[in-house]
Amino acid sequence: MPTAAYTQYGEDRTPDRGGRILTTTLLPARRATDAEVGSRTSRLGDYRMVLLDVGLVLIALLDAWLRMRWVKADPVGLPEVPLHSEVLSWISAIVIIGRRRFPFLVLLLAIPGFFTGFAQLAAMIALYTVARRYLTSWQTRVAAVLFWLSYFMAWPPSEFIDRPPYGHFASAIGGFIITGLPIAIALLTHARQELSNRIAELAESRERERVLHAHAIRADERAKLAREMHDVVSHQVSLIAMQAGALRMALANAEHKQVAGTIRMLSTRTLDELRQLVSVLRTTDDSQPGVDELPELAADAGFEVSVQVKGPVEELTAPVSGAVYRTVQEALTNIRKHAVGASATVLVDADDSTEDVLVEVRNTPPDGLSLSSAQIASLPSGGHGLVGLRERATLLGGQFSAGPTEEGGFLVSASFPKQRTVSD
């Protein structure tokens, strides 16, 4: 069963993977309440239908009774009401109670009372029910023909034969009008129901789109957070771990060495936890650092870094400038972790003669006189850094490469179109 936590944060978010988990003990009770409300609404709807059917039966009985009273009250010029006409009229009105379950059968039972008696309203209600249930199927067509014939014809047959031609014509026109009225009302009711269903579906669809849009926004924010954790937090935490390791080797006091070791252990553990949260990074932020902050980044690197910038880098778009900064930052982090004692050279070439901005970060071989990897264990690495840089370059339409140099160092190189932005 989906919970409120899954709805807000995704089904794969569990306590051991980080993030907040919402308490959902009240959710089943709320669903049970909704079910009870729906059940009560259904029962109320059933009661209303029964009352409506009973009311229609009473109205049909009243209609037949009034017609018969009118004929009996003024017998001059009107034929006498036979017993079978009265009985069939009452039957036609009473059988309306079963119109929802057996609409076509009810119509067949109501037609005789309409043809030989006075149950016109009962027959119209039955015709409406058939048209509402079957629309334009054969049942509706047969019901319409029977209803029209019952209106056009007359009982007894001698009355129909003695009717003048203009009387037949008027009866035919009246039959079409009386027959078309309940069918038209049924079709309008069906169209209204269909429109209501479509509106409800549209509302549900919009709600689903709203939820999906909210999930997409949260996913985008999580991706941005993962990128910043990798590019910023791990950069600083790895520097803390390296300095703590160096401090541990330089201290002679055992207590101080233990403190430095604890700091380094906590730093490496933090890096490991951060690596578990980093996934494929696909988004950029226009407010991220740019090329103008490279000198500050080099000064905080913890080893010798020279920065050389060529061309009007201030004209670079924010995504390109941010990609240059992140490329240099990741390269310096890798040098600090894997090439202790090495120096680095950073080149950013945005000369007007080229359409691309070139970024190169080159480092010398590790210094054997510095702290070796045997003295300071290598820092943890998730392997996502270069993958993220390659993906960032691909999104911007650029190129990325990384590999060792002939001198024993390492070279990270990337190029980005100057005016490109991140593709969708």
Side-chain angles (χ1 to χ4, degrees):
M1 177 186 299
T3 64
Y6 295 155
T7 302
Q8 183 172 2
Y9 296 105
E11 296 185 0
D12 58 345
R13 183 61 60 89
T14 55
D16 60 331
R17 299 185 63 179
R20 296 176 294 170
I21 299 299
L22 299 182
T23 303
T24 58
T25 54
L26 297 180
L27 187 57
R30 185 179 62 183
R31 289 186 175 179
T33 302
D34 294 341
E36 293 175 359
V37 171
S39 178
R40 289 195 298 267
T41 303
S42 178
R43 290 195 297 269
L44 181 60
D46 294 338
Y47 295 151
R48 289 177 177 176
M49 290 182 181
V50 172
L51 292 177
L52 176 61
D53 291 341
V54 172
L56 290 177
V57 170
L58 296 177
I59 293 175
L61 290 172
L62 179 63
D63 173 69
W65 180 76
L66 290 175
R67 290 176 182 272
M68 285 186 289
R69 284 295 303 268
W70 175 53
V71 173
K72 293 180 179 180
D74 189 14
V76 179
L78 295 176
E80 185 178 347
V81 178
L83 178 61
H84 70 273
S85 296
E86 293 189 29
V87 173
L88 291 176
S89 298
W90 300 132
I91 292 176
S92 298
I94 294 174
V95 296
I96 295 300
I97 195 69
R99 68 187 184 92
R100 297 183 186 275
R101 190 164 186 179
F102 308 104
F104 191 71
L105 178 61
V106 168
L107 175 78
L108 294 179
L109 295 176
I111 286 296
F114 174 42
F115 179 58
T116 64
F118 307 92
Q120 177 176 328
L121 183 59
M124 293 181 67
I125 294 173
L127 178 59
Y128 163 82
T129 306
V130 172
R132 182 69 177 87
R133 173 72 62 85
Y134 302 108
L135 294 179
T136 57
S137 63
W138 67 269
Q139 291 94 335
T140 302
R141 293 193 291 268
V142 171
V145 171
L146 291 176
F147 188 91
W148 181 84
L149 288 175
S150 298
Y151 187 89
F152 178 73
M153 302 293 290
W155 186 264
S158 59
E159 180 182 346
F160 177 76
I161 295 174
D162 295 339
R163 184 184 298 170
Y166 60 83
H168 291 296
F169 184 73
S171 297
I173 295 177
F176 282 117
I177 295 175
I178 297 300
T179 303
L181 181 61
I183 296 178
I185 295 176
L187 294 178
L188 288 176
T189 305
H190 176 74
R192 180 182 178 278
Q193 184 63 40
E194 287 292 323
L195 181 60
S196 177
N197 294 339
R198 295 293 177 85
I199 293 176
E201 292 176 1
L202 180 60
E204 293 177 0
S205 176
R206 288 182 176 177
E207 179 64 18
R208 287 194 298 269
E209 291 179 359
R210 186 191 67 80
V211 173
L212 292 176
H213 181 65
H215 288 176
I217 292 177
R218 285 194 291 269
D220 183 65
E221 292 299 325
R222 287 196 297 266
K224 289 181 180 179
L225 178 61
R227 179 182 293 278
E228 293 305 319
M229 282 193 301
H230 180 272
D231 293 341
V232 178
V233 180
S234 63
H235 176 79
Q236 301 297 334
V237 174
S238 61
L239 179 61
I240 295 174
M242 185 193 72
Q243 297 292 344
L247 180 63
R248 180 185 179 187
M249 300 303 300
L251 292 174
N253 187 287
E255 183 178 355
H256 293 171
K257 292 182 67 174
Q258 182 180 3
V259 172
T262 301
I263 294 175
R264 188 180 186 284
M265 179 190 65
L266 294 176
S267 301
T268 54
R269 183 180 301 174
T270 301
L271 280 176
D272 286 333
E273 293 177 355
L274 287 175
R275 299 296 182 184
Q276 295 176 6
L277 299 177
V278 175
S279 60
V280 178
L281 310 176
R282 293 186 173 92
T283 59
T284 58
D285 186 2
D286 293 342
S287 63
Q288 62 184 340
V291 179
D292 55 338
E293 300 185 31
L294 287 180
E296 181 179 353
L297 178 65
D300 296 338
F303 56 93
E304 182 181 355
V305 179
S306 62
V307 179
Q308 184 179 6
V309 179
K310 299 180 180 179
V313 294
E314 65 277 358
E315 299 178 1
L316 298 176
T317 60
V320 174
S321 181
V324 171
Y325 179 90
R326 296 306 187 192
T327 301
V328 175
Q329 183 184 52
E330 179 63 25
L332 296 181
T333 300
N334 290 338
I335 293 172
R336 183 167 55 249
K337 291 191 296 184
H338 306 297
V340 179
S343 60
T345 302
V346 178
L347 171 63
V348 179
D349 188 358
D351 193 85
D352 292 334
S353 59
T354 60
E355 297 181 355
D356 297 341
V357 54
L358 175 65
V359 184
E360 287 187 353
V361 181
R362 187 188 303 268
N363 65 276
T364 60
D367 187 358
L369 298 179
S370 301
L371 295 174
S372 64
S373 58
Q375 294 172 308
I376 301 178
S378 60
L379 299 177
S381 176
H384 297 286
L386 297 182
V387 174
L389 294 181
R390 188 182 304 278
E391 182 180 280
R392 190 193 294 268
T394 302
L395 289 174
L396 292 172
Q399 302 290 331
F400 177 83
S401 62
T405 62
E406 297 180 355
E407 295 80 8
F410 201 83
L411 173 64
V412 174
S413 177
S415 62
F416 308 97
K418 295 179 180 178
Q419 300 301 325
R420 284 291 299 276
T421 58
V422 179
S423 58
D424 293 336

